[in-house]
Amino acid sequence: MTDDLDLAKLQHRLAEFAAARNWQPYHTPKNLVAALSVEAAELVEIFQWLTPDESARVMDDPGTAHRVTDEVADVLAYLLQLCEVLGIDPLAALEAKIDRNERRFPVTGERSDEDTGGT
């Protein structure tokens, strides 16, 4: 389904979409971060009062699954647009962050299911 998609193509499509509507003047870092925050809050709203078990099953309901998927897409769209405007390679940034976290939080010895949240 997503084999032919890549972030650069999606960023280009988002930029073309905005350009065709003359929205570039509004796509400043400040505005994109604000929009990203709003969309993330809309995603939080779906989960806000769910129990942990209910939240784990949120995709079982087609209507809720559709809402979650739409909000995830909105968050990703604004994040990709922000990265484009700021010249950030999101995949390189994520890889560098994971590398830093692996150094900051090294694995030390055996971990129990309790330590990892497993069952």
Side-chain angles (χ1 to χ4, degrees):
M1 180 165 96
T2 59
D3 291 343
D4 294 331
L5 296 178
D6 65 46
L7 288 182
K9 286 180 186 175
L10 292 173
Q11 284 177 300
H12 182 73
R13 284 187 65 193
L14 288 166
E16 285 183 336
F17 182 88
R21 291 152 182 82
N22 297 314
W23 290 352
Q24 308 98 315
Y26 309 105
H27 284 197
T28 64
K30 178 190 86 60
N31 289 348
L32 291 169
V33 167
L36 174 60
S37 175
V38 169
E39 295 301 339
E42 290 178 5
L43 183 59
V44 169
E45 182 181 28
I46 297 167
F47 291 87
Q48 183 173 5
W49 302 114
L50 299 180
T51 66
D53 289 337
E54 290 169 335
S55 71
R57 295 188 313 272
V58 75
M59 300 304 282
D60 294 347
D61 174 66
T64 305
H66 179 74
R67 288 178 55 216
V68 169
T69 300
D70 272 358
E71 296 307 334
V72 165
D74 287 341
V75 168
L76 183 57
Y78 280 115
L79 183 59
L80 290 176
Q81 290 174 86
L82 178 66
C83 288
E84 179 74 18
V85 167
L86 294 177
I88 295 171
D89 177 338
L91 295 180
L94 178 58
E95 184 173 40
K97 181 65 173 185
I98 293 169
D99 289 345
R100 283 192 304 277
N101 284 343
E102 286 174 340
R103 288 189 302 275
R104 274 183 72 196
F105 306 105
V107 176
T108 55
E110 299 260 340
R111 296 175 69 163
S112 69
D113 285 342
E114 187 176 296
D115 293 337
T116 61
T119 55

